[in-house]
Amino acid sequence: MHFVKVKGVLSPNGGMNLYRGCSHGCIYCDSRSKCYGMNHTFEDIEVKENAVELLESALRRKRKRCMIGTGAMSDPYIPLEARLNYTRKALLLIEKYGFGVALQTKSDSVLRDLDVLKRINEKTKAVVQMTLTTADEALCKIIEPNVSTAKERFEALKSFRDNGIPTVVWLCPVLPYINDTAENIRQILEMCVEARVRGVICFGMGLTLREGNREYFYRQIDKSFPGLKERYIREFGNQYVVNSPRNAELMSLFHSVCGANGIMHDNDRIFEYMHRFEEKNAPQQLSLW
């Protein structure tokens, strides 16, 4: 861990990352890609020490309230958060200034902030996004070794359901020859149905690989799945998008189950929902006509 001071923390479209880097150890993480220009070891978390102050300044000056998003590049609930509380402090500011929030995580530690999320959701909208890649607990520990298991994330989704917090699941990535089975996809979707998630985001049954994350991914699968790296190289070469050979079959299953259970499964529609600021119980303007 190391601290840096930054000039800004909130992007024009409401995106925010309080940390850079991650210690969850997911073998497929795109944030390791060299194109992001990270000049430190990925596990050496960069903490933006003045992020909370900058966030308050930005929210105070914003003329129009909106949804604030976090978790796209670094999970807001990495283990360091339990000590530093940057995410909780940011949520308290979001609540204070009347903004909404859409956060993305793989950790059930998000439940620590259920109280703040409930208060935000009473005024506007708080959306919790949770990634699910496999229903197999043993496999989960291999591909996502240092984070909450699928079962723990599922329990968190149900807790949010019971507290009226809307949730969205990211069904990605799906790793060819590892978790790209109909049984796995169906089990994940059954979790989504039981947890009554609003939507499931899926960009296809595959993953993305580019310089930086490709090399790390290959080193990890070589340890746990002997011979699979050579198969990837032979079949996919240096492709950026690596789709499962079962993509068509699994996408058909995905759309069918979501459609039958009233779960949003159009990515554009889900993103529109998460970006749309909604003020609840807003006073109605009287009309003279």
Side-chain angles (χ1 to χ4, degrees):
M1 174 186 69
H2 64 281
F3 291 88
V4 298
K5 287 195 173 183
V6 294
K7 294 181 179 179
V9 72
L10 196 63
S11 72
N13 64 356
M16 170 185 70
N17 284 293
L18 304 170
Y19 307 107
R20 288 193 81 197
C22 188
S23 53
H24 284 164
C26 303
I27 68 173
Y28 49 75
C29 183
D30 176 71
S31 295
R32 292 180 182 273
S33 300
K34 286 190 176 179
C35 63
Y36 297 119
M38 193 173 294
N39 58 5
H40 57 87
T41 305
F42 193 68
E43 288 78 14
D44 177 19
I45 311 299
E46 179 180 288
V47 181
K48 300 176 183 180
E49 63 177 322
N50 58 335
V52 176
E53 292 81 3
L54 288 173
L55 176 63
E56 179 158 29
S57 176
L59 295 181
R60 190 189 299 120
R61 287 183 285 106
K62 241 183 182 327
R63 298 175 66 181
K64 187 176 181 181
R65 282 175 292 175
C66 63
M67 296 292 288
I68 306 297
T70 190
M73 289 297 297
S74 181
D75 197 307
Y77 291 97
I78 55 177
L80 271 177
E81 169 60 21
R83 177 156 53 96
L84 298 178
N85 291 312
Y86 276 36
T87 298
R88 183 171 179 85
K89 291 173 183 176
L91 289 175
L92 288 168
L93 289 174
I94 290 168
E95 178 201 1
K96 175 181 176 180
Y97 289 98
F99 286 76
V101 68
L103 60 84
Q104 183 179 350
T105 184
K106 290 189 182 100
S107 176
D108 66 355
S109 296
V110 63
L111 288 170
R112 178 202 66 180
D113 296 327
L114 176 60
D115 58 334
V116 190
L117 292 167
K118 283 177 69 174
R119 293 197 300 268
I120 294 172
N121 199 58
E122 287 169 0
K123 301 173 187 175
T124 170
K125 187 165 61 185
V127 184
V128 174
Q129 305 161 70
M130 191 74 74
T131 299
L132 292 176
T133 58
T134 178
D136 184 323
E137 294 289 277
L139 180 58
C140 184
K141 281 298 184 183
I142 294 172
I143 65 176
E144 299 159 339
N146 306 321
V147 69
S148 304
T149 67
K151 182 179 179 182
E152 290 167 339
R153 292 177 231 174
F154 176 43
E155 293 302 319
L157 286 169
K158 290 192 291 183
S159 293
F160 288 118
R161 173 202 65 193
D162 295 342
N163 283 277
I165 304 291
T167 55
V168 166
V169 161
W170 288 67
L171 177 50
C172 60
V174 176
L175 313 177
Y177 313 117
I178 295 178
N179 63 335
D180 61 337
T181 67
E183 178 185 11
N184 181 51
I185 301 304
R186 189 178 294 280
Q187 287 179 336
I188 291 173
L189 293 173
E190 286 173 354
M191 292 181 188
C192 294
V193 171
E194 185 173 343
R196 295 203 293 272
V197 305
R198 290 291 186 97
V200 179
I201 294 171
C202 182
F203 296 100
M205 299 295 169
L207 77 157
T208 57
L209 292 175
R210 51 187 164 188
E211 188 180 6
N213 80 313
R214 178 186 287 111
E215 292 79 4
Y216 184 81
F217 177 71
Y218 280 167
R219 286 198 299 272
Q220 300 311 308
I221 63 172
D222 219 21
K223 295 176 185 176
S224 301
F225 309 96
L228 187 55
K229 178 181 77 173
E230 288 72 22
R231 186 172 186 179
Y232 267 72
I233 294 171
R234 185 171 63 250
E235 294 189 18
F236 306 117
N238 287 324
Q239 291 176 205
Y240 170 53
V241 178
V242 176
N243 276 332
S244 165
R246 300 170 178 153
N247 181 60
E249 167 201 346
L250 297 178
M251 286 303 291
S252 177
L253 173 64
F254 163 68
H255 288 302
S256 175
V257 174
C258 287
N261 289 279
I263 296 174
M264 282 192 288
H265 50 111
D266 177 273
N267 292 342
D268 290 340
R269 186 180 168 203
I270 298 169
F271 284 120
E272 191 280 329
Y273 165 74
M274 290 195 295
H275 283 97
R276 187 175 66 245
F277 179 79
E278 301 173 9
E279 190 169 10
K280 298 177 181 176
N281 303 316
Q284 297 297 312
Q285 187 172 12
L286 296 176
S287 172
L288 297 178
W289 306 100

